[in-house]
Amino acid sequence: MGDDGLIRCDWASSQSKMYRDYHDQEWGRPLHGRVALFERMSLEAFQSGLSWLIILRKRENFRRAFSGFDIEEVAGFTDADVQRLMADAGIVRNRAKIDATIANARVAAELGSGDELSELLWSFAPPARPRPADSSEIPAATDESKAMAKELKRRGFRFVGPTTAYALMQATGMVDDHIRACWVPSTTS
Protein backbone atom coordinates (compact mmCIF):
# COMPACT_ATOMS: atom_id res chain seq x y z
CA MET A 1 0.00 0.00 0.00
CA GLY A 2 1.29 3.44 -0.91
CA ASP A 3 1.56 6.42 1.38
CA ASP A 4 -1.72 7.62 -0.15
CA GLY A 5 -3.51 4.47 1.04
CA LEU A 6 -3.84 2.95 -2.45
CA ILE A 7 -2.71 -0.53 -3.38
CA ARG A 8 -0.65 -0.64 -6.57
CA CYS A 9 1.17 -3.20 -8.65
CA ASP A 10 4.45 -4.22 -7.02
CA TRP A 11 6.62 -2.50 -9.62
CA ALA A 12 5.00 0.89 -9.03
CA SER A 13 4.58 0.89 -5.27
CA SER A 14 8.06 1.89 -4.18
CA GLN A 15 9.26 4.00 -7.08
CA SER A 16 9.36 7.72 -7.76
CA LYS A 17 6.27 9.88 -8.14
CA MET A 18 6.87 9.90 -11.91
CA TYR A 19 6.78 6.10 -12.00
CA ARG A 20 3.70 5.97 -9.80
CA ASP A 21 1.91 8.58 -11.94
CA TYR A 22 2.74 6.58 -15.08
CA HIS A 23 1.25 3.47 -13.46
CA ASP A 24 -1.83 5.31 -12.20
CA GLN A 25 -2.61 7.36 -15.30
CA GLU A 26 -1.23 5.56 -18.35
CA TRP A 27 0.02 1.99 -17.99
CA GLY A 28 -2.57 -0.55 -19.02
CA ARG A 29 -5.02 2.02 -20.33
CA PRO A 30 -6.19 1.33 -23.88
CA LEU A 31 -4.21 3.46 -26.31
CA HIS A 32 -5.03 3.81 -29.99
CA GLY A 33 -3.74 5.97 -32.82
CA ARG A 34 -0.72 5.66 -35.04
CA VAL A 35 1.42 8.41 -33.48
CA ALA A 36 0.66 7.40 -29.89
CA LEU A 37 1.39 3.74 -30.61
CA PHE A 38 4.50 4.55 -32.65
CA GLU A 39 5.79 6.58 -29.68
CA ARG A 40 5.15 3.73 -27.25
CA MET A 41 6.67 1.16 -29.62
CA SER A 42 9.76 3.36 -29.94
CA LEU A 43 10.09 4.02 -26.23
CA GLU A 44 9.68 0.31 -25.42
CA ALA A 45 12.54 -0.42 -27.84
CA PHE A 46 14.72 2.24 -26.21
CA GLN A 47 13.89 0.78 -22.79
CA SER A 48 15.21 -2.65 -23.71
CA GLY A 49 17.97 -3.42 -21.21
CA LEU A 50 17.30 -0.28 -19.18
CA SER A 51 14.96 0.87 -16.45
CA TRP A 52 11.60 2.23 -17.62
CA LEU A 53 12.16 5.11 -15.20
CA ILE A 54 15.14 6.24 -17.31
CA ILE A 55 12.87 6.39 -20.34
CA LEU A 56 10.13 8.25 -18.46
CA ARG A 57 12.64 10.84 -17.26
CA LYS A 58 13.81 11.37 -20.84
CA ARG A 59 10.37 11.10 -22.48
CA GLU A 60 9.94 14.80 -23.29
CA ASN A 61 13.46 14.87 -24.71
CA PHE A 62 12.60 11.87 -26.90
CA ARG A 63 9.47 13.63 -28.11
CA ARG A 64 11.46 16.74 -29.01
CA ALA A 65 14.30 14.79 -30.62
CA PHE A 66 11.95 12.60 -32.68
CA SER A 67 9.61 15.39 -33.86
CA GLY A 68 6.77 14.37 -31.58
CA PHE A 69 7.03 10.86 -33.07
CA ASP A 70 5.43 12.14 -36.25
CA ILE A 71 5.85 9.05 -38.41
CA GLU A 72 6.40 10.82 -41.73
CA GLU A 73 8.92 13.23 -40.24
CA VAL A 74 10.92 10.48 -38.53
CA ALA A 75 10.74 8.37 -41.70
CA GLY A 76 12.49 11.23 -43.50
CA PHE A 77 15.38 11.47 -41.03
CA THR A 78 18.80 11.49 -42.66
CA ASP A 79 22.32 10.65 -41.56
CA ALA A 80 22.57 14.22 -40.25
CA ASP A 81 19.59 13.54 -38.00
CA VAL A 82 21.21 10.34 -36.76
CA GLN A 83 24.35 12.31 -35.87
CA ARG A 84 22.19 14.93 -34.13
CA LEU A 85 20.45 12.22 -32.12
CA MET A 86 23.74 10.52 -31.22
CA ALA A 87 24.95 13.84 -29.79
CA ASP A 88 21.74 14.47 -27.80
CA ALA A 89 22.42 13.71 -24.12
CA GLY A 90 18.70 14.11 -23.41
CA ILE A 91 17.89 10.74 -24.97
CA VAL A 92 19.37 7.24 -24.91
CA ARG A 93 22.20 7.47 -27.43
CA ASN A 94 22.16 3.95 -28.78
CA ARG A 95 22.86 3.85 -32.53
CA ALA A 96 21.03 0.55 -33.10
CA LYS A 97 17.90 1.83 -31.33
CA ILE A 98 18.00 5.18 -33.13
CA ASP A 99 18.39 3.41 -36.49
CA ALA A 100 15.56 1.03 -35.57
CA THR A 101 13.23 3.91 -34.69
CA ILE A 102 13.85 5.56 -38.06
CA ALA A 103 13.47 2.24 -39.91
CA ASN A 104 10.27 1.52 -37.97
CA ALA A 105 8.89 4.93 -38.93
CA ARG A 106 9.53 4.11 -42.59
CA VAL A 107 7.69 0.79 -42.26
CA ALA A 108 4.83 2.45 -40.37
CA ALA A 109 4.60 5.15 -43.06
CA GLU A 110 4.23 2.42 -45.69
CA LEU A 111 1.23 1.06 -43.77
CA GLY A 112 -0.62 4.27 -44.56
CA SER A 113 -1.60 7.51 -42.90
CA GLY A 114 -4.80 6.17 -41.37
CA ASP A 115 -5.09 3.94 -38.33
CA GLU A 116 -3.40 0.92 -39.95
CA LEU A 117 -0.57 0.73 -37.40
CA SER A 118 -3.07 0.82 -34.55
CA GLU A 119 -5.24 -1.83 -36.22
CA LEU A 120 -2.22 -4.05 -36.88
CA LEU A 121 -0.98 -3.90 -33.29
CA TRP A 122 -4.41 -4.31 -31.73
CA SER A 123 -5.14 -7.33 -33.94
CA PHE A 124 -2.86 -9.29 -31.60
CA ALA A 125 -4.68 -8.31 -28.40
CA PRO A 126 -5.81 -11.49 -26.65
CA PRO A 127 -9.29 -11.98 -25.23
CA ALA A 128 -9.78 -10.43 -21.81
CA ARG A 129 -8.63 -12.59 -18.91
CA PRO A 130 -8.70 -12.18 -15.14
CA ARG A 131 -6.09 -9.94 -13.62
CA PRO A 132 -3.09 -11.73 -12.13
CA ALA A 133 -3.09 -12.28 -8.38
CA ASP A 134 0.48 -10.99 -8.16
CA SER A 135 3.46 -10.23 -10.37
CA SER A 136 4.65 -13.84 -10.35
CA GLU A 137 1.69 -14.67 -12.64
CA ILE A 138 2.73 -12.11 -15.27
CA PRO A 139 4.61 -13.65 -18.21
CA ALA A 140 7.52 -12.03 -20.03
CA ALA A 141 5.99 -13.04 -23.36
CA THR A 142 2.87 -14.78 -24.61
CA ASP A 143 1.77 -16.57 -27.76
CA GLU A 144 0.15 -13.31 -28.87
CA SER A 145 3.30 -11.23 -28.28
CA LYS A 146 5.36 -13.84 -30.12
CA ALA A 147 2.93 -13.66 -33.05
CA MET A 148 3.02 -9.85 -32.97
CA ALA A 149 6.81 -9.80 -32.94
CA LYS A 150 6.99 -12.28 -35.79
CA GLU A 151 4.58 -10.28 -37.95
CA LEU A 152 6.25 -6.96 -37.16
CA LYS A 153 9.66 -8.39 -38.04
CA ARG A 154 8.22 -9.88 -41.24
CA ARG A 155 7.07 -6.40 -42.22
CA GLY A 156 10.52 -4.93 -41.48
CA PHE A 157 10.12 -3.52 -37.97
CA ARG A 158 13.16 -3.78 -35.70
CA PHE A 159 13.70 -4.07 -31.92
CA VAL A 160 10.32 -5.73 -31.51
CA GLY A 161 11.02 -9.13 -29.98
CA PRO A 162 8.35 -11.04 -28.04
CA THR A 163 9.27 -9.49 -24.68
CA THR A 164 9.24 -5.95 -26.05
CA ALA A 165 5.98 -6.72 -27.87
CA TYR A 166 4.44 -7.95 -24.61
CA ALA A 167 5.62 -4.84 -22.75
CA LEU A 168 3.96 -2.78 -25.49
CA MET A 169 0.75 -4.81 -25.07
CA GLN A 170 0.80 -4.19 -21.31
CA ALA A 171 1.59 -0.49 -21.60
CA THR A 172 -1.14 0.18 -24.16
CA GLY A 173 -3.93 -1.80 -22.53
CA MET A 174 -4.02 -4.70 -24.97
CA VAL A 175 -3.69 -6.82 -21.85
CA ASP A 176 -4.58 -5.86 -18.28
CA ASP A 177 -1.70 -6.95 -16.07
CA HIS A 178 -2.54 -4.77 -13.10
CA ILE A 179 -2.70 -7.12 -10.13
CA ARG A 180 -6.17 -7.89 -8.75
CA ALA A 181 -5.68 -5.77 -5.64
CA CYS A 182 -4.48 -2.74 -7.61
CA TRP A 183 -6.75 0.28 -7.28
CA VAL A 184 -6.61 1.12 -11.03
CA PRO A 185 -10.00 0.24 -12.56
CA SER A 186 -10.00 -2.64 -15.01
CA THR A 187 -10.49 -1.64 -18.62
CA THR A 188 -11.35 -5.13 -19.83
CA SER A 189 -14.20 -6.18 -17.57
Side-chain angles (χ1 to χ4, degrees):
M1 185 175 305
D3 57 4
D4 56 3
L6 297 175
I7 297 172
R8 290 181 174 79
C9 300
D10 300 344
W11 61 267
S13 61
S14 63
Q15 297 293 329
S16 74
K17 180 177 177 350
M18 180 180 280
Y19 213 44
R20 189 169 79 181
D21 288 349
Y22 171 71
H23 168 272
D24 291 358
Q25 299 165 21
E26 291 185 66
W27 191 78
R29 306 276 173 115
L31 183 69
H32 296 273
R34 66 193 301 260
V35 172
L37 285 168
F38 177 66
E39 175 183 341
R40 290 290 183 87
M41 176 189 285
S42 301
L43 294 178
E44 290 293 346
F46 273 102
Q47 183 275 328
S48 183
L50 302 172
S51 159
W52 183 246
L53 191 53
I54 291 170
I55 302 304
L56 285 178
R57 287 180 178 147
K58 294 177 177 273
R59 188 179 199 179
E60 289 307 316
N61 295 330
F62 274 110
R63 286 176 172 160
R64 179 188 43 73
F66 284 96
S67 303
F69 290 96
D70 179 280
I71 292 171
E72 282 69 29
E73 280 197 47
V74 177
F77 278 12
T78 65
D79 288 340
D81 291 299
V82 172
Q83 293 309 312
R84 172 184 58 82
L85 293 166
M86 288 297 294
D88 188 340
I91 66 168
V92 174
R93 295 178 288 181
N94 179 302
R95 178 68 185 246
K97 293 176 181 181
I98 290 169
D99 287 344
T101 301
I102 296 167
N104 291 350
R106 291 175 180 153
V107 175
E110 289 174 10
L111 291 174
S113 60
D115 213 22
E116 293 87 354
L117 178 61
S118 186
E119 290 170 10
L120 172 63
L121 296 175
W122 274 88
S123 73
F124 293 96
R129 63 177 195 258
R131 284 181 160 183
D134 59 50
S135 59
S136 71
E137 292 183 4
I138 300 173
T142 62
D143 289 342
E144 293 86 1
S145 73
K146 292 172 188 172
M148 177 192 277
K150 183 177 180 180
E151 178 60 17
L152 291 174
K153 286 180 183 180
R154 185 190 73 74
R155 290 173 180 256
F157 286 94
R158 296 195 252 166
F159 262 92
V160 289
T163 301
T164 299
Y166 192 67
L168 177 65
M169 294 172 99
Q170 291 173 302
T172 60
M174 293 178 207
V175 295
D176 183 359
D177 275 346
H178 285 280
I179 60 169
R180 279 184 215 134
C182 182
W183 78 269
V184 174
S186 176
T187 58
T188 60
S189 54

